[in-house]
């Protein structure tokens, strides 16, 4: 793969930024990567493990001369960071982000960016329940979708960013802002909320059933606990910043749940069987299409070493 940008700056050095760094290095996609994290401890860890070619002590210093700046902080912090770096951005540079929500991030970031700077939001549909600078790995984006949400950005800047994501192993697709937030509410945000709820309920039950709920937990529940271990700050910000879409999907989910509840109470096995047959077909369709997005557990392997 050939070099796509001379200099890239990563702001916020957690799971996604560190995975981007290792993936960019693996592909030889960038000449130099600078990085900045808010906490001195994270910056020191980054230096210790060789995360970024240069770790800077301020966000402004990191973005100076960068051709691409990627905001890799929680969704609720994007606006503040954009305001801070804006005066130091190179004319003609591209700013992107990896936030899980797009409308709120665009509204928070775009007003701060000077004329002549391109803003091309993006969102990798890949992650793990781990966070922080040591959790990243080069393979995270391989064969996974990254949604590009140009929202009026220029074609040249958009294509360059797409090439970077493809070079990092991802498949890319362009999406309109509101559609992105709706789709992600369905495939990512509400599933996380359900997992958080289920694990919370099980924990409450454990208090009355003497730890048995967790002791005998089977694979299904363990999958829930993996998802429910995801970063609380990140997910707080996702729900606070994608209110409309998540509340809409949650409403539909509750209606379906009530129907299933009634079917159980009424002994309506036919309804239950029909429902479970339909959902099994959905899962089989995903596997046949080669899009089983089960995350290989690289994060855990790395942590255990
Ligand atoms: N984790 C996932 O599965 C996943 C997947 C796709 C997209 N995302 C999105 O990517 C972004 C980063 O997520 P992550 O999983 O890498 O998180 P992370 O917790 O691993 O890293 C976040 C980094 O941002 C820093 N940070 C937090 N608040 C800050 C602030 N106010 N100013 C400067 N730095 C700040 C933290 O110190 C940390 O270094 C989020 O917007 C998230 O929605 C996450
Ligand atoms: O696989 C996981 O652990 C994830 O939670 C990744 C996941 C998701 O698929 O929901 C989480 C949030 C993102 O914005 C994108 C991807």
């Amino acid at each position: 793969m050939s070099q796509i940008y001379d200099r890239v700056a990563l702001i916020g050095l957690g799971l996604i930024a560190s995975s981007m760094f290792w993936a960019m290095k693996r592909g030889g996609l960038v000449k130099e990567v600078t990085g900045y994290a808010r906490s001195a401890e994270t910056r020191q860890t980054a230096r210790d493990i060789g995360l970024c070619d240069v770790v800077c002590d301020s966000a402004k210093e990191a973005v100076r001369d960068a051709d691409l700046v990627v905001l890799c902080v929680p969704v609720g912090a994007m606006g503040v960071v954009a305001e801070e770096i804006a005066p130091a951005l190179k004319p003609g540079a591209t700013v992107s982000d990896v936030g899980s929500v797009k409308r709120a991030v665009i509204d928070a970031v775009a007003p701060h960016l000077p004329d002549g700077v391109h803003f091309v939001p993006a969102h990798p549909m890949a992650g793990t329940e781990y966070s922080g600078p040591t959790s990243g790995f080069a393979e995270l984006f391989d064969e996974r979708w990254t949604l590009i949400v140009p929202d009026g950005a220029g074609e040249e800047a958009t294509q360059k960013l797409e090439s970077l994501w493809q070079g990092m192993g991802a498949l890319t697709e362009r999406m309109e802002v509101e559609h992105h937030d709706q789709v992600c509410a369905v495939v990512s945000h509400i599933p996380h909320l359900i997992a958080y709820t289920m694990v919370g309920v099980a924990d409450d039950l454990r208090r009355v059933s003497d730890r048995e709920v967790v002791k005998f937990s089977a694979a299904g529940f363990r999958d829930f606990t993996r998802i429910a271990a995801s970063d609380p700050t990140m997910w707080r910000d996702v729900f606070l910043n994608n209110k409309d879409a998540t509340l809409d999907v949650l409403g539909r989910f509750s209606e379906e749940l009530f129907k299933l509840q009634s079917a159980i109470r009424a002994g309506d096995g036919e309804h239950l069987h029909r429902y479970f047959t339909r959902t099994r077909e959905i899962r089989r369709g995903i596997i046949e299409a080669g899009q089983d997005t089960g995350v290989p557990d690289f994060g855990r392997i790395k942590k255990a070493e």
Side-chain angles (χ1 to χ4, degrees):
M1 225 338 143
S2 57
Q3 208 171 280
I4 296 166
Y5 293 97
D6 272 350
R7 192 166 177 174
V8 171
L10 300 172
I11 307 298
L13 298 176
L15 169 71
I16 300 297
S18 56
S19 297
M20 287 184 75
F21 175 74
W22 301 120
M24 285 190 279
K25 286 291 158 184
R26 179 187 67 176
L29 309 175
V30 171
K31 200 188 279 178
E32 187 180 53
V33 180
T34 58
Y36 167 75
R38 189 178 46 163
S39 95
E41 194 188 334
T42 303
R43 295 198 294 273
Q44 190 51 52
T45 304
R47 288 181 183 117
D48 291 345
I49 64 172
L51 172 60
C52 295
D53 298 307
V54 183
V55 177
C56 302
D57 286 324
S58 81
K60 276 193 186 139
E61 194 189 329
V63 306
R64 204 159 278 133
D65 292 329
D67 305 293
L68 171 69
V69 175
V70 190
L71 309 180
C72 304
V73 298
V75 165
M78 297 278 183
V80 178
V81 172
E83 187 175 13
E84 190 184 339
I85 62 170
L89 291 168
K90 181 165 116 173
T94 294
V95 171
S96 186
D97 76 291
V98 293
S100 305
V101 172
K102 290 273 92 73
R103 167 51 60 210
V105 168
I106 292 169
D107 289 351
V109 170
H112 298 295
L113 301 182
D115 289 345
V117 165
H118 309 276
F119 183 32
V120 190
H123 178 199
M125 297 303 292
T128 74
E129 68 277 31
Y130 295 106
S131 52
T134 58
S135 59
F137 51 99
E139 300 83 358
L140 179 64
F141 310 115
D142 286 350
E143 309 281 321
R144 305 290 296 266
W145 288 105
T146 289
L147 304 175
I148 309 286
V149 186
D151 195 37
E155 189 55 32
E156 201 185 324
T158 303
Q159 280 184 16
K160 219 169 161 181
L161 187 75
E162 282 169 337
S163 300
L164 181 77
W165 278 104
Q166 288 159 11
M168 291 191 289
L171 310 162
T172 60
E173 182 149 317
R174 294 189 192 188
M175 215 176 247
E176 187 269 327
V177 188
E178 268 67 32
H179 188 59
H180 168 279
D181 288 358
Q182 273 286 342
V183 168
C184 289
V186 176
V187 303
S188 174
H189 304 168
I190 296 305
H192 274 77
L193 196 72
I194 294 166
Y196 280 123
T197 313
M198 196 55 236
V199 174
V201 168
D203 189 48
D204 288 344
L205 289 175
R206 183 175 65 165
R207 293 195 187 113
V208 291
S209 69
D210 197 21
R211 309 185 72 83
E212 284 183 329
V213 169
V214 171
K215 184 174 169 190
F216 298 123
S217 66
F221 182 71
R222 280 174 193 273
D223 287 348
F224 275 126
T225 61
R226 182 188 80 74
I227 294 171
S230 301
D231 189 67
T233 304
M234 169 186 157
W235 284 99
R236 175 203 63 196
D237 283 8
V238 165
F239 289 105
L240 293 182
N241 288 282
N242 196 18
K243 260 189 199 166
D244 291 349
T246 52
L247 289 176
D248 179 42
V249 177
L250 200 54
R252 287 160 195 255
F253 176 82
S254 308
E255 284 172 23
E256 289 293 295
L257 197 61
F258 280 129
K259 282 188 213 156
L260 290 171
Q261 196 177 352
S262 309
I264 294 168
R265 184 170 293 118
D268 186 352
E270 204 184 311
H271 177 87
L272 296 174
H273 194 270
R274 211 180 321 116
Y275 203 92
F276 300 155
T277 303
R278 193 179 121 209
T279 55
R280 183 165 67 175
E281 290 311 313
I282 294 169
R283 167 72 184 177
R284 286 181 176 169
I286 291 172
I287 291 176
E288 272 163 29
Q291 288 178 344
D292 176 15
T293 52
V295 185
D297 226 347
F298 294 115
R300 185 172 290 126
I301 291 162
K302 210 162 181 190
K303 275 249 149 111
E305 278 168 3

